[in-house]
Amino acid sequence: MVKKYHVALSFASENREYVRAVAINLQAAGIKVFYDEFEQVNLWGKNLYVHLDEIYRNEAHFCVMFISKHYLRKNWTNHERESAQARAFKREEDYLLPAKFDDTEIPGLLPTIGYINLQKITPEKFGQIIIQKLINANLNTLTSTKNVPKARVIADSIETPNIDKPKPDQKTIIARNNSLNDANKPKSKTKSVNFTLEGISQLSNDKPIGYKILTKGGKNNYTGVAKKGEIYITIQKHLQPGRNRVPGCKVKIERMSTIQEAQDKADRIIKISKPKYNKSIKY
């Protein structure tokens, strides 16, 4: 049965920054995602109690539940959860996909269900895992998408609690990917990508960086810095709302050992080249 959405995201507002990055990454890949900020006009004036129940119960192929201590406390997230669980109960399918920020237990969610540990992966990588789940489940669900990238499932990302040995370091890993054979090779210190959501999602998040936004002719329009783990979120903020690219522009990054090292180099670049849009850098 054709659904309105490939995936619906259920989350607490305290976790919005991470979830927003996931939603943007999915939307850029052509995935039909229910995320409230994308639906403001459509939600305006509706009876949200009824409307959200319909979405989480009937209108998505999958529901990703972003579990945290905040998720458990909110009335709306509990309403979404109950609707999604009612759907999962009626059908023998892995409709409900848990993703955990912490070890909060959710009523009705069995401890044996495989989940994603969000403390281990970036929003961009998690978006790729969701895409792979859609592809594995049924290619027909993606017939209306555009430019869906080949997802790269991250080893150690999908986990299930080991009930007999519940120590965190003894969890059973059930996701593997042969493409990670080269994972331990040194990464290049510099990298240049197209200034698109898909492009910047390819940037590693494991080190602080200094970055430049370059015009089609190679002129430096802006120089900035980003903390470890915040590369995608920081750079995507330069895109205008509703846009997922700046045609012809590139983003060039240099990985640094510390954020202070990145800041010092950025200050020198700004002083020498005076990029058009730089006023100050804050991190």
Side-chain angles (χ1 to χ4, degrees):
M1 180 179 177
V2 177
K3 303 291 186 182
K4 184 175 181 180
Y5 302 101
H6 293 119
V7 62
L9 309 182
S10 179
F11 63 97
S13 58
E14 288 82 355
N15 304 122
R16 180 174 293 280
E17 185 173 9
Y18 187 102
V19 179
R20 179 189 290 120
V22 173
I24 290 173
N25 198 52
L26 291 174
Q27 187 184 62
I31 302 301
K32 293 182 290 185
V33 54
F34 178 79
Y35 170 66
D36 59 358
E37 289 185 343
F38 296 164
E39 302 278 338
Q40 290 182 1
V41 174
N42 190 39
L43 294 176
W44 188 14
K46 279 188 167 58
N47 181 330
L48 295 182
Y49 189 88
V50 174
H51 185 68
L52 293 178
D53 174 68
E54 178 65 15
I55 288 173
Y56 288 99
R57 190 190 298 262
N58 297 318
E59 293 192 356
H61 288 281
F62 291 101
C63 173
V64 177
M65 181 189 295
F66 290 84
I67 296 171
S68 70
K69 61 182 180 181
H70 308 293
Y71 187 90
L72 188 61
R73 299 171 183 169
K74 299 296 183 72
N75 289 333
W76 280 111
T77 52
N78 279 311
H79 175 53
E80 295 165 4
R81 170 183 62 81
E82 290 170 357
S83 296
Q85 286 177 324
R87 157 77 173 276
F89 177 76
K90 289 172 60 177
R91 296 174 179 268
E92 293 183 1
E93 58 183 10
D94 47 351
Y95 166 69
L96 194 56
L97 306 177
K100 294 187 175 184
F101 289 106
D102 55 40
D103 293 327
T104 298
E105 293 187 4
I106 298 297
L109 189 66
L110 297 176
T112 52
I113 294 177
Y115 66 91
I116 301 292
N117 185 347
L118 297 177
Q119 298 178 51
K120 291 186 176 183
I121 58 174
T122 65
E124 302 76 46
K125 298 299 184 184
F126 185 39
Q128 293 170 359
I129 292 173
I130 293 173
I131 293 171
Q132 187 66 61
K133 182 69 175 179
L134 289 167
I135 292 172
N136 290 349
N138 187 347
L139 282 173
N140 291 334
T141 67
L142 299 179
T143 54
S144 61
T145 64
K146 297 180 290 184
N147 303 320
V148 175
K150 183 178 180 180
R152 296 168 291 178
V153 178
I154 309 305
D156 298 359
S157 61
I158 305 179
E159 304 179 349
T160 184
N162 187 326
I163 297 175
D164 295 326
K165 299 178 181 179
K167 295 181 180 179
D169 59 342
Q170 294 178 334
K171 293 174 181 176
T172 304
I173 299 168
I174 63 173
R176 289 287 182 251
N177 190 311
N178 291 333
S179 67
L180 296 179
N181 291 335
D182 298 327
N184 294 323
K185 291 184 179 180
K187 295 178 181 177
S188 174
K189 189 174 182 181
T190 62
K191 186 171 184 176
S192 181
V193 298
N194 292 329
F195 192 13
T196 65
L197 290 179
E198 184 177 352
I200 61 179
S201 72
Q202 299 169 14
L203 300 173
S204 298
N205 255 315
D206 61 338
K207 292 282 187 181
I209 65 163
Y211 65 91
K212 299 177 185 177
I213 298 178
L214 307 175
T215 66
K216 187 175 181 179
K219 183 179 178 181
N220 182 12
N221 258 357
Y222 185 87
T223 294
V225 298
K227 293 180 181 179
K228 172 183 175 180
E230 298 182 6
I231 281 72
Y232 178 90
I233 293 172
T234 299
I235 297 176
Q236 66 91 13
K237 289 179 181 178
H238 292 285
L239 291 169
Q240 295 180 5
R243 296 187 64 183
N244 60 13
R245 65 181 60 241
V246 178
C249 287
K250 298 275 189 181
V251 177
K252 184 175 183 180
I253 64 105
E254 181 174 359
R255 300 166 73 243
M256 301 290 190
S257 299
T258 66
I259 189 65
Q260 189 59 55
E261 180 185 0
Q263 177 73 64
D264 291 343
K265 182 157 187 180
D267 287 341
R268 293 194 297 272
I269 292 172
I270 292 170
K271 185 175 181 180
I272 294 171
S273 63
K274 296 181 173 57
K276 181 178 179 180
Y277 294 106
N278 271 103
K279 293 183 179 179
S280 62
I281 299 177
K282 298 180 180 179
Y283 60 88

